[in-house]
Amino acid sequence: MGFNPLGQQTEYVSVYSPQLLFPIARAESRKLLNTVSSLPFSGVDIWTGYELSWLDPKGKPVVAVAEFFIPCDSEFMIESKSFKLYLNSLNQSHYHSAAEVEELLARDLSAVARAMVRVQLYPLSSTQSSQWRAQPAHLLNTVTLDGVLLDDLPVNIDTYHPDPNLLTTADSIVSETLVSHLLKTNCPVTGQPDWASLVVRYTGKKIEHDSLLRYIVSFREHQDFHEHCVERIFSDIAAICKPTHLTVYARYTRRGGLDINPFRSSHAAEQPELLRLIRQ
């Protein structure tokens, strides 16, 4: 866990190597948001792994889709390239069952994140079975997000770095869900673009829709990790608009066979909807 693979030329290891996982302290980014000592939200980072494979005892490959649930109050998040390298390290390793792999992944990821990480595997060989059909449909069908879509608003935009002062409210109190597919952020090391759909659900003074769209687009040249970007959006909306209830959920497109979907809410009882969008 001592080597950060970000920005490095890296060999792909195909034999189980948990030491490839690289932790990133959440506290470093949260210092800028003044949320280190007391988190104003609860939530989870939902990762989907589309390129998971291992060998059965006879040497035949098994492939699966994996979902990983990393709580936002874990001490560390996991750097995505190291996550991919770790998953690829299972490619030539032998395991008796998907359950054994699931347990192994949960143990290793929990140790690095320093929190209980939940893992769910969906072997592709089970797609025709009644057991698979009973699983949540988000892994079978893409969906659209419920809410008011902001993207067609006729707004003028000239700010492409985060600016919470773009956010404005009206006096009326509302409960609504707002959606945009125009969130773009960038990897803090490589500069590669990361694309996402964003859901903002809140109760409070009505957020002017054009102001929220300008604010979302203002992240277009911003470099930071997915999780940090969502927490910044949550914190800015909470500070400027002061809603009594706020949830922010981003569904990022995959890169390197992984997508990362941070969910943050002021209400601990609220849980993310498990879904897959057309770009995922």
Side-chain angles (χ1 to χ4, degrees):
M1 293 190 296
F3 172 69
N4 185 351
L6 266 175
Q8 304 293 325
Q9 185 73 27
T10 309
E11 280 190 30
Y12 279 84
V13 179
S14 58
V15 178
Y16 171 63
S17 303
Q19 68 273 13
L20 291 169
L21 290 167
F22 186 82
I24 297 175
R26 294 188 188 269
E28 291 305 309
S29 172
R30 289 173 176 171
K31 287 177 183 177
L32 302 175
L33 304 176
N34 296 316
T35 59
V36 175
S37 58
S38 178
L39 294 180
F41 46 71
S42 60
V44 62
D45 300 325
I46 306 167
W47 297 60
T48 315
Y50 297 93
E51 300 176 5
L52 179 62
S53 184
W54 64 92
L55 302 178
D56 72 9
K58 295 183 178 180
K60 185 174 70 174
V62 181
V63 294
V65 173
E67 282 187 320
F68 309 93
F69 300 84
I70 305 176
C72 74
D73 59 358
S74 63
E75 184 175 351
F76 296 97
M77 58 187 193
I78 299 170
E79 190 279 314
S80 60
K81 184 177 179 180
S82 78
F83 205 145
K84 177 180 173 60
L85 292 172
Y86 162 71
L87 293 179
N88 276 309
S89 80
L90 274 64
N91 288 346
Q92 293 300 113
S93 299
H94 294 77
Y95 300 99
H96 287 88
S97 65
E100 181 183 0
V101 175
E102 199 171 87
E103 182 179 346
L104 176 74
L105 293 170
R107 182 176 68 244
D108 289 345
L109 295 169
S110 297
V112 174
R114 295 190 184 174
M116 188 64 67
V117 175
R118 183 165 66 88
V119 179
Q120 177 70 58
L121 298 190
Y122 301 93
L124 302 189
S125 58
S126 301
T127 54
Q128 301 304 316
S129 71
S130 59
Q131 179 182 8
W132 176 270
R133 289 197 298 271
Q135 297 295 341
H138 67 281
L139 283 178
L140 302 178
N141 302 301
T142 60
V143 300
T144 56
L145 294 170
D146 293 329
V148 177
L149 183 64
L150 304 178
D151 298 349
D152 294 330
L153 292 173
V155 296
N156 294 319
I157 299 176
D158 59 7
T159 302
Y160 302 105
H161 293 277
D163 183 0
N165 294 316
L166 294 168
L167 292 165
T168 59
T169 60
D171 290 332
S172 56
I173 303 298
V174 300
S175 293
E176 62 178 356
T177 300
L178 306 176
V179 173
S180 175
H181 302 297
L182 301 186
L183 179 62
K184 172 187 171 286
T185 60
N186 302 284
C187 173
V189 174
T190 67
Q192 288 182 286
D194 294 311
W195 310 90
S197 297
L198 187 72
V199 178
V200 176
R201 183 178 301 112
Y202 74 98
T203 298
K205 285 189 174 183
K206 182 178 178 64
I207 300 173
E208 300 285 4
H209 291 184
D210 58 347
S211 79
L212 180 59
L213 182 58
R214 290 188 184 95
Y215 171 73
I216 292 169
V217 174
S218 76
F219 279 78
R220 195 168 178 84
E221 291 297 305
H222 183 59
Q223 291 186 285
D224 207 343
F225 296 108
H226 301 56
E227 301 91 334
H228 294 166
C229 290
V230 170
E231 292 185 1
R232 180 167 184 168
I233 292 169
F234 182 100
S235 297
D236 285 347
I237 294 175
I240 300 296
C241 304
K242 297 180 171 55
T244 57
H245 174 205
L246 175 61
T247 295
V248 177
Y249 187 18
R251 298 288 305 186
Y252 274 88
T253 60
R254 76 182 78 169
R255 190 145 57 82
L258 291 167
D259 64 39
I260 309 171
N261 308 285
F263 174 90
R264 302 292 183 268
S265 181
S266 59
H267 283 42
E270 185 164 351
Q271 297 298 313
E273 181 183 6
L274 298 178
L275 47 84
R276 188 177 68 176
L277 303 180
I278 191 169
R279 291 191 294 178
Q280 296 183 303

